[in-house]
Structure formats: C-alpha cells, structure tokens
Amino acid sequence: MIREKTALVTGSTSGIGLAIARAFAAQGANVVINGLGAPEDVEDERSRIEHEFGVAAHYANADMSKPADIIDMIATAERELGSVDILVNNAGVQHVAPIEDFPPEKWDAIISINLSAAFHAIRAVAPGMKKRGWGRIINTASAHAVVASPFKSAYVAAKHGVAGLTKTAALEFARSRITVNAIAPGYVWTPLVERQIPGTMEARGMTREQVIHDVLLEAQPTKEFVTSEQVAALAVFLATDDAASITGAILSMDGGWTAH
Ligand code: NAD
C-alpha cells in the first residue's frame, strides 16, 4: 500500500523526478520534492501536487552534492512527515566532452550528484526503514549503467556505480523488507537531454537534427523517446507489494537500446 506512505524524490523539480513525485502523490503518498529552480516555479509545482492529489507535499532545497544537506533533508522529512518509506534517488546532471577536455570539476560534480548522493541518502534512510520493517529504494540509473557512449565518461562511470550500489544495498537489506532497484531508461525527452545537445553538436561536429536522430534515437531501436510517465509508472509498481521480490534489479526501459 502506497497510500499515506512518504516518498522522497531527489531532483524532482523537473523531468523524470517530477513525474515520479506526481505519480506517487496520485497514489495517495505524501511527497518530498527536491531540486533546483526558481522559488516561485518550485512553489507552483509543490502546491499543484497538494491541491491535485490531496496529499502533503513538502519541498527540500538540499544540494545533492552536499552530504550534510542530504542528511538534514532526510531528518527533516522524517520529523515533519513521520517517515521516509520510499526513497527515489533521481537527481542527476550531465556533461558531454572528450576525456582530454573534460573539466575535472565537472567530473567531481557528476560523481557527487549522480552517485555519491544516492549513497548518502540510502545511508540516512536505512535505519528508519529497518525500524519500521518496510522500505523501497529506487535509483534512476540509465542505459548508461549498462553500456557506454563516448564523451560521457563521468556520467557513464557514475551510472555504472549506481548499478553496483543498487545491487550491494539490495543484498544488505534483503532480510529487512527493503527492496533496492534501479530503473535504467534510454533517452527520455527532458531538459537534461535538451541541454546536452549543444555539447554533442560540438563534440561530434553535427547539427541539432543530426544529434537527435543520429545520436540519441540512433541508439533506440523503437526510434521513440521513453516518457517520464512510463518511468514513473515503473517506479510506482516497484513500491507495491506485488514487487516485493524484485530487488537488486537494474530494470531497462530503453526501447531495446541495450538489447543490441
Ligand atoms: P532534469 O534536468 O529534467 O532533472 C534533473 C533534476 O535534478 C532537476 O530537478 C534538478 O534540479 C535536479 N538537480 C540537479 N542538480 C542538483 C543538485 N545539485 N541538487 C539537487 N537537485 C539537483 O533531468 P532528467 O532527464 O529528468 O533526469 C533525471 C534523472 O534521470 C537523472 O539521474 C538522469 O541521469 C536520469 N536519466 C535521464 C535520462 C534522459 O534521457 N532524460 C535517461 C536516463 C536516465
């Protein structure tokens, strides 16, 4: 039962995370949203969730590159909403450049936001989930948790790391009724994908249309973008009792990309 549980979704002011937060709220869960954005836009999204679904929606402005912020966000959510039953580690950033030109500070930021943040959040929610004897941890990985693409060294390394963290946490929590899984989407049309188009154009000497068709959708046999709502529906399923035996899985949703 998801109703009246609390779902905390990192990086949920935009794209996939926002769709996941809305999908949990639609099931009657209270939600904590998190992420960057103009305060008035964030407040719009937060209050829309409360009004549309009749649940409590809180906003945490934690910077996911800062462990202390993450620990404080979880403690605040547990205090204000009673628990964090469902944790979705979704915040992510991207940078596209050849390794020789890849700025080391971008490498550090991607590893901290896309990988280390999930470790810190899991570490902080685990004691409460164990005490209550129930928990769901869902990590937004990527097809890049399974295969690589050139010019995305930090992202691919971080997402492969998320896959390893997912499996390890699943084993450690297997007897505590806490499942840990990763969703590995292919290309989903979100601001994150739109923003990497200029870098890819430059790295590969391509036009915008060539990047969309010859790089992004080239990888995806269906030739269609995955939707945020499809990812959110899988996240909700993973939180149901029917999914209690799915743990340690890296679940591809990539239009056949990794079947190559
Ligand atoms: P997005 O840019 O729309 O959303 C990213 C979210 O992360 C935003 O809410 C942003 O504010 C937040 N964020 C970024 N840096 C942050 C920080 N330091 N602290 C807190 N929040 C921060 O991107 P998206 O496409 O929705 O991506 C969400 C997740 O899905 C990411 O982990 C991404 O790697 C993954 N993913 C995306 C795709 C895709 O094609 N879009 C495919 C596979 C996986």
Side-chain angles (χ1 to χ4, degrees):
M1 274 289 282
I2 292 170
R3 181 163 298 283
E4 288 174 16
K5 291 208 159 59
T6 297
L8 186 152
V9 186
T10 72
S12 49
T13 51
S14 168
I16 296 169
L18 181 57
I20 293 175
R22 290 179 54 80
F24 276 114
Q27 297 295 317
N30 297 320
V31 295
V32 180
I33 61 169
N34 153 262
L36 314 175
E40 58 278 16
D41 295 343
V42 173
E43 175 52 23
D44 273 0
E45 291 297 354
R46 191 204 63 76
S47 63
R48 193 172 306 137
I49 291 172
E50 280 196 337
H51 290 122
E52 217 171 302
F53 304 114
V55 299
H58 289 200
Y59 169 65
N61 71 352
D63 177 343
M64 297 306 288
S65 68
K66 300 198 170 120
D69 279 20
I70 298 169
I71 291 162
D72 184 57
M73 170 176 68
I74 307 265
T76 303
E78 288 179 334
R79 195 173 59 245
E80 292 181 352
L81 291 163
S83 59
V84 175
D85 308 293
I86 301 160
L87 167 68
V88 184
N89 288 306
N90 172 81
V93 290
Q94 173 65 288
H95 186 77
V96 181
I99 289 175
E100 313 90 281
D101 303 332
F102 211 94
E105 60 278 12
K106 290 279 185 198
W107 168 276
D108 288 343
I110 291 174
I111 297 297
S112 72
I113 296 165
N114 295 19
L115 173 58
S116 302
F119 162 75
H120 295 298
I122 291 171
R123 196 168 176 272
V125 295
M129 287 181 177
K130 282 186 173 168
K131 202 163 74 199
R132 290 183 299 277
W134 195 93
R136 293 288 188 265
I137 298 170
I138 300 160
N139 300 320
T140 309
S142 165
H144 284 126
V146 185
V147 294
S149 296
F151 314 126
K152 296 185 178 177
S153 52
Y155 188 86
V156 171
K159 294 298 185 180
H160 275 64
V162 168
L165 175 63
T166 300
K167 293 179 199 177
T168 307
L171 295 180
E172 290 191 24
F173 303 154
R175 301 295 296 272
S176 305
R177 296 181 71 233
I178 301 168
T179 68
V180 190
N181 292 290
I183 301 177
Y187 282 107
V188 188
W189 189 258
T190 67
L192 179 139
V193 165
E194 257 191 291
R195 277 194 301 268
Q196 67 188 272
I197 290 175
T200 309
M201 286 166 66
E202 199 178 320
R204 294 186 185 240
M206 287 180 164
T207 65
R208 181 182 162 82
E209 284 62 38
Q210 283 172 322
V211 170
I212 292 174
H213 294 286
D214 301 346
V215 179
L216 303 184
L217 292 180
E218 203 276 324
Q220 236 150 262
T222 54
K223 301 297 171 203
E224 285 179 16
F225 285 98
V226 179
T227 70
S228 295
E229 289 70 27
Q230 290 166 345
V231 178
L234 180 53
V236 167
F237 176 69
L238 287 171
T240 64
D241 290 337
D242 284 339
S245 294
I246 304 177
T247 195
I250 315 302
L251 299 160
S252 291
M253 183 183 274
D254 61 9
W257 175 349
T258 53
H260 278 294

